[in-house]
Amino acid sequence: MSDLGTNIAKTSQPPTLGKDGTPASDVIWLGGDWTLETLGDADKLVTETLEAGSSATAVDLGRLTSLDTSGAWVIIRLMRGINLEQSAVQSIAPSYQTLFDAVWETNQVKPQATRPAGYLWSFAETTGRDVVEIYRDITILAHLMGGVIACLGAALLDPRKIRFTSIVHHIDQTGLKAVPIVAFMSFLVGAIVAQQGAFQLRKFGAEPFVIDLVGILVLRELGVLLTAIMVAGRSGSAFTAEIGSMRMREEIDAMRVMGLNVVEVLITPRVIALIIALPLLSMVANVSALAGGGMLAMALFRHHPRRLHQLAARGHRGQHLHGRCDQGPLHGTNYCAHFLLGRTAGRRQALSPLGRRTTASVVKSIFLMVLIDGVFAIFFGPSVGY
């Protein structure tokens, strides 16, 4: 047993480091064991060599008796400190060559890509990336809209493909359950518009026209726009998170393997539900906003309810409501942006977390809704007597 212990003790040799050659061509040689067991002594030798400012043209590893990953890291630290490349290694045993090369590649310091600094360069780079991102969104949105239209066309030929249960479920989620928040917010907005407008019209003795102000503003702009924005924040973001999480859990890939059309199963029912629900929610918002403005006018300015009804009927005649009644379905179709961003969120989860993509989908949808509202205001404004 004592002989075995002596043999084991002799197998571990302390690391050594020296230098041979002329000042013009110095070679640092390493000997002994450069392993985890001798890592402290090896690291001390390397630190002393670097602090002494030694220089060399090559490193001779022919005297090594043992080498592992830890020892290779210390040797590479020595070579980095004296600015030597991998080709400067000499006389390394073939059994250590593969290990040393692997550790060297792992410890390789990749140079940072240099680019011209300055505000103009950063601005141009950011603008270019934004343009590419917009192009990708438009491309995917067009592809997605084409898929929805194809599914609707196929459903007309074969009504059995219409998923009525899913459509009714999403109408309940996006329409019926959104009535309280839409009605309450619209009521408050109508009251605020009536209050601010009345105080300004009082200067000209035109307080009765506050009902015309509230009616035109709500029926033409605020009703459908506020409804679309609230649905975007409430239902659209939920759709994005839901479909994006399904993408990350590979549920969508499983549906494709099962032979199901993802657009037909997940997207088309939601689009149809929003096309149906948004006009109805817009009507709820219009009635609530008019009620809020009328109640505030009665409370603050003592307008009689019959007088309010006469003024509203005289000033509106349904033309302002007609000018925006077809904007709700278009906003419902616009929510395809949520689905497109929800689908890409799972695919690019390593670079873009789902939460960030959900936020982006809401912001982009609201932007598109405001843009659509502006287009409608331009084309329908002259036709209703602005």
Side-chain angles (χ1 to χ4, degrees), residues 229-377:
I229 292 175
M230 283 187 283
V231 173
R234 180 184 177 275
S235 302
S237 58
F239 288 164
T240 304
E242 181 182 0
I243 297 179
S245 61
M246 291 178 64
R247 185 70 167 178
M248 289 188 291
R249 293 194 300 264
E250 299 182 355
E251 296 180 17
I252 294 180
D253 295 333
M255 294 175 61
R256 290 196 177 99
V257 173
M258 296 169 60
L260 297 176
N261 188 335
V262 177
V263 177
E264 178 183 340
V265 175
L266 296 180
I267 300 178
T268 303
R270 288 174 167 85
V271 173
I272 296 176
L274 286 172
I275 291 176
I276 297 174
L278 268 177
L280 301 177
L281 287 175
S282 299
M283 294 177 62
V284 173
N286 291 335
V287 173
S288 300
L290 292 176
M295 291 180 63
L296 187 134
M298 288 187 295
L300 295 182
F301 309 112
R302 300 296 188 271
H303 287 315
H304 194 274
R306 182 177 298 176
R307 175 61 175 167
L308 295 176
H309 180 268
Q310 293 175 352
L311 290 173
R314 180 195 66 186
H316 303 150
R317 298 189 302 276
Q319 58 186 357
H320 303 300
L321 180 62
H322 175 73
R324 284 296 185 269
C325 66
D326 51 354
Q327 193 171 344
L330 188 57
H331 282 320
T333 308
N334 171 51
Y335 284 110
C336 287
H338 292 286
F339 306 135
L340 102 85
L341 293 172
R343 294 178 68 192
T344 56
R347 176 67 71 178
R348 301 187 334 209
Q349 55 180 318
L351 300 178
S352 301
L354 179 59
R356 187 183 307 170
R357 302 300 298 179
T358 302
T359 303
S361 69
V362 175
V363 172
K364 292 177 181 180
S365 292
I366 293 176
F367 169 77
L368 290 177
M369 285 183 288
V370 174
L371 180 62
I372 293 172
D373 185 80
V375 172
F376 270 72

Side-chain angles (χ1 to χ4, degrees), residues 63-304:
R63 305 180 189 183
L64 291 180
T65 57
S66 182
L67 178 68
D68 64 5
T69 304
S70 301
W73 276 91
V74 177
I75 296 173
I76 292 174
R77 185 169 77 87
L78 171 64
M79 297 178 64
R80 302 279 185 185
I82 57 180
N83 299 321
L84 292 181
E85 297 296 331
Q86 185 178 3
S87 57
V89 175
Q90 296 180 356
S91 304
I92 185 172
S95 57
Y96 301 148
Q97 184 69 56
T98 303
L99 172 64
F100 187 84
D101 293 342
V103 177
W104 183 278
E105 292 297 329
T106 305
N107 195 32
Q108 182 68 29
V109 179
K110 297 181 179 180
Q112 296 276 344
T114 59
R115 62 179 184 182
Y119 173 78
L120 294 178
W121 177 268
S122 300
F123 177 77
E125 183 179 19
T126 303
T127 303
R129 290 179 178 177
D130 292 341
V131 171
V132 172
E133 184 70 18
I134 293 173
Y135 170 75
R136 291 176 179 174
D137 288 345
I138 293 176
T139 302
I140 300 177
L141 180 60
H143 174 75
L144 196 60
M145 287 296 299
V148 172
I149 295 174
C151 291
L152 293 177
L156 293 176
L157 300 177
D158 187 4
R160 293 176 299 178
K161 293 185 177 180
I162 302 177
R163 299 178 178 270
F164 291 101
T165 303
S166 179
I167 294 174
V168 172
H169 169 74
H170 290 301
I171 290 177
D172 175 69
Q173 295 293 322
T174 62
L176 186 60
K177 293 185 178 180
V179 168
I181 183 64
V182 170
F184 180 69
M185 292 294 295
S186 301
F187 182 88
L188 293 180
V189 169
I192 292 172
V193 171
Q195 180 192 26
Q196 298 298 323
F199 284 133
Q200 297 300 322
L201 293 175
R202 177 182 293 178
K203 301 176 182 179
F204 309 97
E207 287 184 22
F209 291 99
V210 68
I211 303 303
D212 295 81
L213 173 65
V214 174
I216 294 175
L217 187 60
V218 168
L219 296 179
R220 289 195 56 81
E221 299 293 340
L222 290 183
V224 64
L225 188 59
L226 287 178
T227 302
I229 292 175
M230 283 187 283
V231 173
R234 180 184 177 275
S235 302
S237 58
F239 288 164
T240 304
E242 181 182 0
I243 297 179
S245 61
M246 291 178 64
R247 185 70 167 178
M248 289 188 291
R249 293 194 300 264
E250 299 182 355
E251 296 180 17
I252 294 180
D253 295 333
M255 294 175 61
R256 290 196 177 99
V257 173
M258 296 169 60
L260 297 176
N261 188 335
V262 177
V263 177
E264 178 183 340
V265 175
L266 296 180
I267 300 178
T268 303
R270 288 174 167 85
V271 173
I272 296 176
L274 286 172
I275 291 176
I276 297 174
L278 268 177
L280 301 177
L281 287 175
S282 299
M283 294 177 62
V284 173
N286 291 335
V287 173
S288 300
L290 292 176
M295 291 180 63
L296 187 134
M298 288 187 295
L300 295 182
F301 309 112
R302 300 296 188 271
H303 287 315
H304 194 274

Side-chain angles (χ1 to χ4, degrees), residues 11-21 26-35 38 58-67 75 89-96:
T11 56
S12 179
Q13 299 183 13
T16 56
L17 186 151
K19 179 183 289 189
D20 292 333
D26 293 335
V27 177
I28 294 179
W29 56 264
L30 306 178
D33 294 346
W34 288 67
T35 60
T38 62
V59 175
D60 186 355
L61 304 182
R63 305 180 189 183
L64 291 180
T65 57
S66 182
L67 178 68
I75 296 173
V89 175
Q90 296 180 356
S91 304
I92 185 172
S95 57
Y96 301 148

